[in-house]
Amino acid sequence: MTSADKDSPLIFVVEDEADIARLIVGTLAEYGFRCETFGTGRALLARAKRMQPELAILDLGLPDMDGLQVLRELQEQHPCAALILTGRDGLTDRVLGLELGADDYLVKPFEPRELVARVRSILRRYQKAATPEPGGHSAVRFAGWHFDIGRLNLVADDGREVSLSAAEAALLQTLLKRPNKILTREQLIGERELDPFDRSIDVRISRLRRKLEDDPQDPKIIKTVYGAGYLLCAAVVWE
Ligand code: CA
């Protein structure tokens, strides 16, 4: 009954409730995704050492560890796109999840078709982020950093490496395409549904600043233009 083949995107699902795990996997398989499920955070992390998924769907209430910790370890070791799918709908979990690099947050009970729509949207963004520029550029230099678009990683002049999540890489790419110009929140959100209360752009900007070691109190690379948006202040050289 599954139309998934070996070229379909691979999704890891950590969910300790068997019925919900079956619902998630059944839904995604119907739409052509390959899934592997895990009942504990440790099991997923162990598997991720050998096989890297394109997306991880994470429950937060797990028997062995908090899903946010799974996300933290996953992003440190094997960054991939991530969707939090949880019964917890507190603002703290949501903001923390986004700060840790999650691409989206969906609260249970969920509509299977909504899950598919979110998964597709994340993977589209991820593929866009990992696709070299039309001009054939696969890397870019700016402000003392070298950004490898395909590998979603940043290398500083001193050789230190920093990994970006798919969402952060997409956001950085949007900023780099139009340096020294003010971009509104709407322009930065891109294809995401517009929600004026959506703070995820601000959360991602602050996370990106931390990774770029851009002082949030006095940022030199990504500047906040109050009431307007953000501006990347740097000379940008595409390679
Ligand atoms: Ca659970």
Side-chain angles (χ1 to χ4, degrees), residues 169-194:
L171 179 58
L172 178 58
Q173 240 182 305
T174 305
L175 286 161
L176 287 167
K177 277 181 202 159
R178 299 176 69 189
N180 309 305
K181 289 199 170 58
I182 298 169
L183 296 179
T184 63
R185 232 182 228 96
E186 287 74 14
Q187 287 171 309
L188 293 169
I189 289 170
E191 67 183 31
R192 282 173 61 90
E193 326 74 83
L194 291 186

Side-chain angles (χ1 to χ4, degrees), residues 14-17 20 59-63 85-87 108:
V14 62
E15 171 60 68
D16 59 316
E17 282 172 61
I20 299 178
D59 180 24
L60 294 186
L62 294 168
L85 180 56
T86 178
K108 294 173 191 166

Side-chain angles (χ1 to χ4, degrees), residues 9 11 24 28 33 55 57 81 83 104 106 113-125:
I11 300 176
I24 296 171
L28 292 174
F33 297 102
L55 169 72
I57 297 181
L83 167 71
D104 209 345
L106 188 58
R113 286 176 58 182
E114 161 123 49
L115 174 67
V116 171
R118 303 274 190 121
V119 163
R120 280 187 172 152
S121 154
I122 294 172
L123 291 174
R124 242 196 333 266
R125 258 185 284 158

Side-chain angles (χ1 to χ4, degrees), residues 28-169:
L28 292 174
E30 214 176 298
Y31 286 85
F33 297 102
R34 286 182 301 150
C35 294
E36 288 191 23
T37 46
F38 307 89
T40 64
R42 285 284 156 228
L44 179 143
L45 290 169
R47 178 71 173 138
K49 287 199 171 90
R50 300 176 45 220
M51 177 73 113
Q52 275 191 267
E54 266 146 285
L55 169 72
I57 297 181
L58 307 166
D59 180 24
L60 294 186
L62 294 168
D64 61 334
M65 62 196 289
D66 193 283
L68 290 173
Q69 182 60 27
V70 179
L71 175 62
R72 186 178 285 127
E73 292 188 27
L74 198 59
Q75 294 295 14
E76 277 167 11
Q77 292 156 23
H78 320 279
C80 65
L83 167 71
I84 294 174
L85 180 56
T86 178
R88 281 162 35 184
D89 67 349
L91 189 62
T92 313
D93 282 323
R94 210 177 263 268
V95 169
L96 252 177
L98 292 168
E99 281 207 343
L100 291 172
D103 295 274
D104 209 345
Y105 195 105
L106 188 58
V107 176
K108 294 173 191 166
F110 62 95
E111 274 296 325
R113 286 176 58 182
E114 161 123 49
L115 174 67
V116 171
R118 303 274 190 121
V119 163
R120 280 187 172 152
S121 154
I122 294 172
L123 291 174
R124 242 196 333 266
R125 258 185 284 158
Y126 184 88
Q127 276 149 9
K128 218 165 88 190
T131 305
E133 290 301 294
H137 301 297
S138 58
V140 53
R141 280 186 189 282
F142 69 100
W145 290 95
H146 182 261
F147 174 36
D148 183 326
I149 297 166
R151 293 178 52 224
L152 306 182
N153 104 328
L154 285 164
V155 182
D157 283 344
D158 63 9
R160 207 164 15 89
E161 291 196 32
V162 180
S163 291
L164 298 182
S165 73
E168 290 157 5

